[in-house]
Every structure is written in structure tokens, then in C-alpha cells.
Amino acid sequence: MVRQMRRWVAVLAGTLAAALLSLGTAGPATAAPKPAPAGVDITGPGLSEPLRLRPETQPAHVVAVIDQVNFIGRFGQPKGPKAADLGPKYTVVVLAGETPKQSYDLYPKAIGGPRIYRPAKQPDSRKIAAGWFLGRLSMSETLRTAGVPLERQFDTVSGGVGGGERVLPEDTLDPAKDIDEALGELQRLLLLNVAVMLTITVGLAGIALLIRRRTR
């Protein structure tokens, strides 16, 4: 009887371990479609045609320009500087592949520091509040390096105004997989594995207790 119970325990443990292994290594039934890479179009004074930046040819410039707008919050100031204090306006359109998603008006030469205006009407038709935001101090140099005809600034420091909520999806910058989504999947997988391990532990403890009672 004891041997039979031991065989039963071994078979059950092997079955549960195999189930745990399959759960831990199983991937999604269908792979998620690969997000389209981000791109940028810039229009404004001195540009006879849109300046088209694409990740295949200018990945560093694409990321640098998007970094000028991806830190701003959900709500900005309803009013900006006077029109005479804004200087030249450069419109930046962020694309996913070749599909326009978001649009921003950048004023790198505004008096008092660079400014960003986010219009309520966006290319992807999503609802968002219009508003004015302080831009990064590196805006002018970033645009100039990307190809916008602006005078070089030697006193520009790295970064500038930043922080707040991201308004650009992470997967437009990373064509692999969204970091938050990957962490969420990992967390769910770990919780599932923990639940299975607890089930195995409780089952083995119950069987061991049953064997002990029968052998007395």
C-alpha cells in the first residue's frame, strides 16, 4: 500500500511539474503585429518642402526630435506668449510608419525660452486638450542638427524643461515591444507560476499526510 501511494505521489508530482513547465514556456497563440517605426516630418520657414526624417536613414535625429515633445503633460497653459515674441514656427508631425499620428508647433526662438503648442486637432482624430508648454532648451540645436535652417547656438545646455506624462506611445519609438506591456506579461506569468507551485505544494502535503495516516 505504501509503495502504491508513493507511485501515486511521483506520478502526480511529475504531471504537475510538466504542467508548470508548459505554462512557464508557453508563448502567445498568435504573435502581436510589429509596431510601425516612428518617423518625423518638419515644415516651417526656410524649408521649401517637408523635412522627412525616417528611422532607416536618420534614427538618431528621429529620436532627438521626438524627445522635444514626448515629455509634455496632458494639460498645458491656455495662453502662450504674444505672437510677436514667438519667432519662427516649425510644425513637427510624428508618424507611425507613414501614418501621421501627432502634431506640434515648435517655437525654438521664442522670447523667454522655447515654446511648444499642441493643437486640439490631431492627425489621428483623438481628443486632446490644446495647450502651451515650455520647451527644452536644446530645441533649437536639435532642429538645426536635424536639418532645419537655424543659426547655431553655443550656449545651449543639454535637456532643459522636462518631466510630466508621456504623450507618445512607447511602441512608436521601440519597434520591438512596449516595455510596460512586456513587464505586465512577465508579472502575470510569475503570478501564474506561483499559483501552480502553491497548488503542487498543497497537493503533495495532503498526499504525504494521507500516507502517514495509512502507515500508522
Side-chain angles (χ1 to χ4, degrees):
M1 183 63 183
V2 174
R3 291 181 179 179
Q4 183 178 2
M5 293 299 297
R6 288 179 178 174
R7 291 197 198 98
W8 185 21
V9 171
V11 171
L12 178 60
T15 303
L16 292 176
L20 176 61
L21 182 61
S22 64
L23 288 173
T25 58
T30 57
K34 187 177 182 179
V40 172
D41 284 350
I42 304 176
T43 56
L47 296 172
S48 58
E49 59 183 21
L51 178 61
R52 305 182 188 278
L53 306 177
R54 297 296 183 267
E56 298 82 6
T57 56
Q58 297 169 299
H61 293 323
V62 170
V63 173
V65 173
I66 290 178
D67 186 59
Q68 295 296 317
V69 297
N70 72 348
F71 67 90
I72 62 178
R74 186 177 298 274
F75 301 102
Q77 296 296 322
K79 293 184 179 180
K82 297 179 181 179
D85 297 336
L86 287 173
K89 177 183 77 173
Y90 293 93
T91 299
V92 172
V93 177
V94 180
L95 307 97
E98 293 298 326
T99 304
K101 291 293 185 180
Q102 300 180 19
S103 177
Y104 304 89
D105 295 334
L106 273 58
Y107 299 87
K109 299 296 185 180
I111 296 176
R115 294 290 192 278
I116 302 171
Y117 176 69
R118 181 182 60 201
K121 186 177 181 180
Q122 292 290 311
D124 60 358
S125 301
R126 63 193 177 95
K127 294 182 179 180
I128 196 166
W132 288 88
F133 305 86
L134 290 173
R136 296 191 187 278
L137 298 178
S138 59
M139 180 188 294
S140 180
E141 276 300 286
T142 297
L143 294 177
R144 186 192 67 82
T145 304
V148 174
L150 291 168
E151 293 182 3
R152 186 172 184 179
Q153 289 186 335
F154 295 94
D155 58 345
T156 300
V157 298
S158 176
V161 176
E165 177 186 1
R166 279 186 178 269
V167 296
L168 294 180
E170 193 68 24
D171 56 9
T172 64
L173 297 180
D174 184 4
K177 188 176 180 64
D178 181 77
I179 296 177
D180 294 334
E181 182 181 353
L183 291 177
E185 291 294 336
L186 179 60
Q187 183 180 20
R188 285 191 289 271
L189 180 61
L190 289 176
L191 291 175
L192 180 60
N193 287 344
V194 170
V196 174
M197 287 297 296
L198 289 176
T199 302
I200 293 175
T201 302
V202 173
L204 293 177
I207 294 173
L209 180 61
L210 180 62
I211 294 175
R212 184 176 180 182
R213 287 181 178 178
R214 289 180 175 275
T215 55
R216 284 181 178 179

